[in-house]
Amino acid sequence: MLGGPVYIAIIRYVISLLGAIILFLMMSESRYNLKKTIIGYMCFGAIVILGACIWYVVDWDSCVKISAFVMYICFSAFSIYMSRDSVFLSLYKLALTFYLIAVFLIGGIEISVVFFGRNVWADIIARVILISLMSVFIHQKVKKSIQGFGYYVENELDAFSVTVMIISILFGLGFVLNPNVKERTPYRLFQVAMNFFLTGALQLLVFRLYLHTGKEKEYLKENQLMKLNHRLLERNMEILEESVESGRRIRHDIRHHNAVVAEYARRGQNDELLRYLKEYEEETDEDMAETICSNTAVNNIISAYTRKARKENIKVTLDVDLGNNLAIPNIDLITILANAYENAIYGCIEVKEQSKDRECFIHLMVKRKKNKLVICCKNACTPETELKNGRPKPEATGGIGVLSIIKTAENFEGEYDFKNDNGEFIFRLILNIPHTDGKIQKFGGED
C-alpha cells in the first residue's frame, strides 16, 4: 500500500512472516523439541521468501495482489503440521494469530500515513515495535492462560462452536483487510478500530467463558479426589479397627491357650497336648487374613473392599499378581483400584435392588505385563446403565471416582475404556510403567 523498491517488500515479508511464527508459537505447543521446531520454521521461512522473490521477478502484478495471501495459506498448513494441538484448536489459534497480524499490519500502515507522511521505514519500524510489544505482553501476561485455555477448548468445546469462533474472526479480518476499499477517511478508520475492538472483545469473552468452565471442571475433579481421600481414610480406619480387635482377641485367647497347655503338661498328657496344638494351628491358619498380593497397600485396600462386597453377598473373584517394586506410587494405584472396586460394588447393589434373584459378581484382575500394568474389573450391572462420551454417567457409579480414575490414568499416559455388555459392566485400563528415573516411557511418539 505504501509502495517502495523490491528490497522493502522483502523486508516487510520477512517481518510479517517472522511475527506470525513468533505469535503462533507462543500460543501453541509444537510436536517437536525446540531445536527441531526452530530449524523447521527457518527452512520454511527461507523457502517462502525465496519463492516470493522469484514470483516478484516473474509476475510482479499477481505477486503484489495475492502473494501475501498465498504465504499465509502455506504458513497455516505448515503450522498445523508442526503443532501438537488438534486441527480445530490449531485453526482457532491461527485465526487469533491472523487477528494479531492484522493489528500490526494496519497499525504500521496507519502510523506511517498519519504521522510520517507514508514513510516506508516508519511502517517497518512500527511493525517491529508492535510485534515486540505483543510478544512481551503474551509471554508475561497471557501465555500460560492461553495454553491452558487451549486445553479447556479441546476438552470442553465442540467442533461447531470452534468453527463459529474462527468464522467470526475471519469475517472481521475480511472487513478490515478488504483490498477494494481505498478511502482513508476518519469514519473508515473509526470502523476499522471498532471492528478490531469488537472482534477482540468477543474472543476475550469466549476466552474467559471457557477458562471458567475448564477451571470449574478442575475443581470438580479436585472435589472427587477429596471424597476419594475421605473414603480411603474410612477404609484404613476399618482395617485399623479390625487389627485392634484382632489383637484383643488374640491376647484374650492366648491366656486360655497357655492355661490348657500348662494343664496338659502338668498331667503328662503328651499325646493329647500334641493333638490340641495341631487343632490350634489349623484354627489359627483359618483366621489369618487373606493374602491377595505382595504389594501391602494394594493387598489391604482390596481386602477391605472384598470384605465389604462379601457382606453384600456379592461373589468376588480376584486375579491379582502385583509386587512392591512397581515404580507407580501406591496412592495412584489405590486411587484407581478403590474407585473401580467401589463403583463395582455400587453397581451390584443397584442390581440387587432391581432383581433379588439375580446373582451379583465382581471379577478383578490386576497384573503386570512387561512394562505395562493391566487392570480389568467386571461386575454385574443393570442393562440400563448408560455411558456418555465413553464414560459412565455419575448416576451409574454413585457419582464417585470416574474422574479420579481418568485423571490418574492420564498422568501415566494410560488407555482406558468403559463398556456395558448386556448387564456386565467392564472397565479396562493399561498404564505405562515409568522407568526408575520417574519418566514415563513413550512408545511410537515423536522425539
Side-chain angles (χ1 to χ4, degrees):
M1 292 183 182
L2 299 178
V6 63
Y7 70 90
I8 294 294
I10 294 175
I11 292 175
R12 285 175 174 164
Y13 268 100
V14 171
I15 293 174
S16 299
L17 182 59
L18 183 62
I21 292 173
I22 291 173
L23 294 173
F24 181 75
L25 286 178
M26 296 184 73
M27 292 187 290
S28 66
E29 185 177 358
S30 177
R31 69 172 65 197
Y32 302 106
N33 58 38
L34 181 61
K35 182 179 179 180
K36 286 187 177 181
T37 301
I38 293 175
I39 293 175
Y41 275 103
M42 287 179 62
C43 295
F44 168 77
I47 293 172
V48 168
I49 297 301
L50 179 61
C53 292
I54 297 174
W55 190 356
Y56 187 89
V57 173
V58 174
D59 189 355
W60 177 86
D61 188 53
S62 64
C63 179
V64 171
K65 290 181 179 179
I66 63 172
S67 61
F69 177 76
V70 173
M71 178 182 71
Y72 288 126
I73 290 295
C74 295
F75 167 73
S76 300
F78 185 75
S79 296
I80 291 174
Y81 167 75
M82 294 290 289
S83 177
R84 183 178 293 180
D85 300 324
S86 64
V87 174
F88 266 99
L89 184 56
S90 296
L91 288 174
Y92 176 67
K93 290 182 177 180
L94 280 169
L96 286 178
T97 301
F98 293 149
Y99 171 78
L100 297 176
I101 290 173
V103 171
F104 73 72
L105 287 179
I106 300 298
I109 292 173
E110 296 303 328
I111 289 173
S112 174
V113 171
V114 175
F115 298 103
F116 297 96
R118 305 178 69 89
N119 185 281
V120 293
W121 291 108
D123 171 39
I124 292 173
I125 294 172
R127 293 187 186 192
V128 173
I129 293 174
L130 288 173
I131 292 172
S132 300
L133 291 175
M134 289 178 187
S135 300
V136 171
F137 178 77
I138 292 174
H139 179 73
Q140 293 185 350
K141 301 295 183 181
V142 296
K143 182 178 180 179
K144 291 183 179 180
S145 297
I146 288 177
Q147 291 178 347
F149 169 68
Y151 170 80
Y152 296 138
V153 167
E154 196 167 18
N155 287 273
E156 307 295 338
L157 198 60
D158 61 292
F160 175 77
S161 300
V162 176
T163 303
V164 172
M165 292 166 62
I166 294 172
I167 291 175
S168 68
I169 298 178
L170 296 181
F171 276 172
L173 297 181
F175 171 78
V176 172
L177 301 177
N178 186 356
N180 295 322
V181 178
K182 304 295 184 181
E183 60 179 2
R184 315 198 70 80
T185 63
Y187 178 70
R188 169 62 182 171
L189 296 179
F190 173 77
Q191 283 183 315
V192 171
M194 289 303 299
N195 185 278
F196 275 132
F197 172 77
L198 293 175
T199 304
L202 173 62
Q203 300 309 310
L204 179 61
L205 289 174
V206 174
F207 174 86
R208 293 185 64 85
L209 171 64
Y210 283 98
L211 195 62
H212 174 76
T213 302
K215 287 184 176 180
E216 185 177 6
K217 185 64 69 68
E218 289 294 324
Y219 293 148
L220 177 60
K221 291 180 180 179
E222 294 298 327
N223 185 44
Q224 292 279 357
L225 290 176
M226 290 177 64
K227 290 181 178 179
L228 168 66
N229 291 333
H230 178 72
R231 293 198 312 275
L232 293 180
L233 286 174
E234 289 180 343
R235 298 296 170 261
N236 287 331
M237 288 298 296
E238 290 178 4
I239 294 172
L240 181 60
E241 290 174 358
E242 290 176 358
S243 299
V244 172
E245 182 63 28
S246 177
R248 290 174 180 172
R249 187 175 61 253
I250 291 174
R251 287 193 298 271
H252 179 269
D253 292 342
I254 201 67
R255 290 195 296 268
H256 296 286
H257 171 69
N258 290 339
V260 172
V261 171
E263 185 64 25
Y264 277 126
R266 187 166 47 250
R267 295 183 180 184
Q269 298 175 325
N270 295 332
D271 294 339
E272 288 80 356
L273 175 58
L274 292 174
R275 190 181 304 110
Y276 170 77
L277 290 174
K278 184 177 181 181
E279 292 176 356
Y280 181 80
E281 182 181 0
E282 293 175 352
E283 183 179 351
T284 303
D285 290 340
E286 291 177 358
D287 292 338
M288 287 183 63
E290 181 182 5
T291 301
I292 299 172
C293 68
S294 58
N295 187 300
T296 305
V298 172
N299 186 85
N300 289 341
I301 199 65
I302 292 180
S303 297
Y305 278 104
T306 299
R307 287 193 295 271
K308 181 179 178 181
R310 287 171 177 165
K311 288 179 181 178
E312 298 289 342
N313 294 321
I314 299 172
K315 182 181 178 181
V316 178
T317 305
L318 300 175
D319 184 10
V320 182
D321 184 9
L322 208 59
N324 284 313
N325 300 322
L326 196 60
I328 296 179
N330 285 331
I331 186 62
D332 293 316
L333 287 175
I334 296 220
T335 296
I336 296 172
L337 294 173
N339 278 301
Y341 211 151
E342 186 151 355
N343 290 340
I345 293 173
Y346 178 87
C348 290
I349 292 175
E350 189 178 33
V351 169
K352 284 181 171 293
E353 292 176 351
Q354 290 190 5
S355 177
K356 295 183 179 180
D357 297 332
R358 183 180 170 187
E359 181 183 20
C360 291
F361 66 90
I362 295 175
H363 174 69
L364 177 64
M365 186 270 287
V366 184
K367 287 189 176 182
R368 175 175 182 169
K369 297 184 178 179
K370 295 184 180 180
N371 53 358
K372 303 283 187 180
L373 178 65
V374 181
I375 299 175
C376 179
C377 184
K378 302 179 181 179
N379 61 274
C381 69
T382 59
E384 297 82 16
T385 300
E386 297 181 359
L387 303 177
K388 182 179 181 181
N389 298 325
R391 305 175 183 179
K393 293 182 177 180
E395 57 268 23
T397 61
I400 297 172
V402 173
L403 290 178
S404 299
I405 292 175
I406 292 172
K407 185 174 182 179
T408 305
E410 289 175 348
N411 291 337
F412 294 91
E413 299 182 355
E415 298 180 5
Y416 57 87
D417 72 333
F418 302 88
K419 182 173 65 173
N420 183 355
D421 187 11
N422 296 323
E424 180 180 83
F425 190 85
I426 303 174
F427 161 61
R428 294 177 293 185
L429 172 66
I430 299 177
L431 294 181
N432 290 323
I433 298 177
H435 290 302
T436 54
D437 59 2
K439 295 181 180 179
I440 303 295
Q441 184 174 3
K442 296 183 179 181
F443 302 91
E446 300 288 354
D447 294 333

